[in-house]
Amino acid sequence: MSEITTKPASVVTGGAGFLGSHLSDRLLAEGHSVIAIDNLITGNVANIEHLAGNPDFKFIHHNVTDFIYLPGKVDYVWHFASPASPIDYLELPIPTLKVGSLGTHNALGLAKEKGAAFFLASTSECYGDPLVHPQTEDYWGNVNPIGPRGVYDEAKRFAEAITMAYHRFHKMNTHIIRIFNTYGPRMRLRDGRVVPAFIGQALTNQPITIFGDGSQTRSFCYVSDLIDGIYRLMMSDYHEPVNIGNPREMTIREFAEHIIRLTGTTAKMEFKPLPVDDPKVRQPNIDLAKRLLGWEPRVPFEDGIVRTIDYFRDRV
Ligand code: UDP
C-alpha cells in the first residue's frame, strides 16, 4: 500500500553544498519532503549526513547537467547546483558553464513537467565589476564575458534569461535571487573563498593571503539570514531578480583584521596579486527585499563570524 503524503515536495539541486544543505534543513523544518540532488564535485555528503534516516529526506547522486527524471509529485524546484567559488570555477570552467545553462534548462524542465514553482540561485556576479554602487536590481552589470570569471557570470546571466523566458512564455511561477557573499558553517575549508581561506590560515598561524592591496570591498551575509530571504522569495508572487545580502560593507584588509583579532592568531598579512576581473566593490542595495518580503539580515557580522570560526576550529 503506498503512503499518501500531503507534505509539500521540494527538490534541491546542489543539495549537498553549503547553501543547498542549509536550505534542505530549513525546508524539512517547514514540513516539506526534500529530494537533494548533487554530483558531489564541490558538494559533500558530510553536509547532509545528519539527515540520513530522515523519512522525509532523500539524496540522489546525479549531475543535473544530464536530464533529471523523478517520479511522483514535485511542488518546488530550488536550483542551487553550481561551483560557486572563483577557484572552483577556474578549475571547472566547462562544468560551471554547463550546470548554469544545461542544468538550469533541465531544472526548469522538471518544474514545468511537474507544475512546480522554480527558484534560481543567481548571483551578484551578474553585476561583474560594478560601476553602480551599491548595486540595485535594475543595474545591468559590467561583466567581462571572456575573462576567467566569465564562465560563472555568463552562465548565471544565461540562467536568469532562460528562467524569465520560462516565466513569460510558459507562464511558470519562477523566482530569481541574486546572492551576495554569504558565509557560515559548511563552507569548504579549501574552496578558496576569502572567509574559509582567512579563517583556516588564522587558525593554523599561516600567512593571511590578501589579494591586491586589500582595498576591494565585500559585504558578508550570514547563511541563516540568506536562507530566510530565499524561503520568503519563493513564497512571494514576485518574479524578477531580488538582491539578498547584508549591506555591511568592509574592505578585505578590514576583514583580515577582524579575523586576526577574533582568532588571536600570530599570523601576519601577506600580499598576493589580485585575480583577473576581481570586483573592486560589492554591496547590495536591499530596499526591494525589505519592501517585498519584509526581509532584512538579523545576524550581526561579529556573531556570525565567531560561529563560523568555531565551526572551522574542529576542521583545520
Ligand atoms: N581574497 C583574498 N584572499 C584570499 C581569497 C580571496 O584577498 O585568500 C579576496 C578576493 O580577491 C576578493 C575577495 O577576497 O576580492 C572575496 O573573494 P571570494 O573568493 O571570497 O569571492 P568573490 O567575492 O570574489 O566572489
Side-chain angles (χ1 to χ4, degrees):
M1 204 170 65
S2 70
E3 193 187 327
I4 294 169
T5 169
T6 53
K7 284 177 179 269
S10 274
V11 171
V12 180
T13 78
F18 167 46
L19 296 181
S21 66
H22 283 284
L23 176 61
S24 296
D25 287 343
R26 171 69 186 260
L27 293 172
L28 290 164
E30 295 286 345
H32 291 223
S33 65
V34 175
I35 296 176
I37 307 179
D38 205 299
N39 68 349
L40 302 177
I41 59 169
T42 60
N44 190 335
V45 282
N47 291 335
I48 48 170
E49 67 187 356
H50 61 288
L51 301 176
N54 182 330
D56 293 323
F57 181 77
K58 187 172 163 190
F59 173 67
I60 297 177
H61 188 182
H62 177 72
N63 183 348
V64 296
T65 289
D66 299 323
F67 186 83
I68 308 166
Y69 171 76
L70 286 178
K73 77 157 186 156
V74 176
D75 301 301
Y76 300 97
V77 173
W78 312 74
H79 182 42
F80 279 70
S82 178
S85 87
I87 289 208
D88 287 342
Y89 47 78
L90 287 184
E91 281 174 6
L92 301 163
I94 294 167
T96 301
L97 279 161
K98 286 171 80 174
V99 75
S101 54
L102 306 176
T104 304
H105 185 215
N106 288 333
L108 279 162
L110 174 70
K112 177 166 166 276
E113 163 71 21
K114 302 289 186 181
F118 179 82
F119 190 98
L120 174 68
S122 185
T123 169
S124 57
E125 282 283 325
C126 287
Y127 302 122
D129 190 6
L131 305 176
V132 168
H133 191 67
Q135 292 76 58
T136 43
E137 289 86 349
D138 56 6
Y139 176 48
W140 293 350
N142 178 38
V143 171
N144 174 2
I146 57 163
R149 296 174 87 105
V151 296
Y152 183 67
D153 303 9
E154 295 297 2
K156 289 291 189 182
R157 286 166 68 99
F158 172 86
E160 290 196 3
I162 192 172
T163 299
M164 288 309 296
Y166 270 63
H167 169 65
R168 294 195 180 107
F169 191 76
H170 292 307
K171 312 281 179 252
M172 277 174 56
N173 178 16
T174 63
H175 306 275
I176 301 173
I177 183 183
R178 291 197 181 131
I179 299 173
F180 284 68
N181 294 65
T182 301
Y183 69 99
R186 302 187 196 156
M187 295 188 92
R188 249 168 52 233
L189 186 59
R190 276 173 254 291
D191 83 356
R193 282 190 277 198
V194 71
V195 173
F198 285 6
I199 295 176
Q201 290 160 349
L203 292 177
T204 53
N205 297 311
Q206 308 289 317
I208 310 283
T209 53
I210 296 191
F211 298 163
D213 63 3
S215 64
Q216 70 273 33
T217 68
R218 294 294 185 273
S219 309
F220 298 100
C221 183
Y222 191 66
V223 62
S224 59
D225 281 333
L226 186 93
I227 297 294
D228 191 44
I230 287 169
Y231 190 79
R232 286 176 192 229
L233 180 57
M234 177 64 117
M235 300 305 155
S236 78
D237 55 10
Y238 191 76
H239 304 293
E240 293 189 9
V242 179
N243 290 339
I244 299 281
N246 190 320
R248 176 161 167 197
E249 185 184 16
M250 64 185 83
T251 66
I252 291 303
R253 195 186 170 110
E254 280 172 88
F255 178 67
E257 284 162 0
H258 285 300
I259 298 297
I260 290 170
R261 179 174 50 83
L262 293 167
T263 55
T265 183
T266 57
K268 300 277 175 280
M269 296 183 203
E270 183 178 280
F271 292 84
K272 301 246 185 182
L274 191 66
V276 177
D277 296 333
D278 197 287
K280 286 181 266 311
V281 288
R282 185 181 289 153
Q283 182 192 30
N285 175 309
I286 58 167
D287 290 351
L288 185 62
K290 280 186 183 161
R291 200 170 68 240
L292 276 178
L293 312 174
W295 177 88
E296 63 184 316
R298 294 181 187 286
V299 181
F301 174 76
E302 284 71 12
D303 295 355
I305 203 70
V306 167
R307 283 185 230 170
T308 309
I309 291 169
D310 287 345
Y311 170 83
F312 281 116
R313 232 179 259 288
D314 304 333
R315 289 169 174 82
V316 287

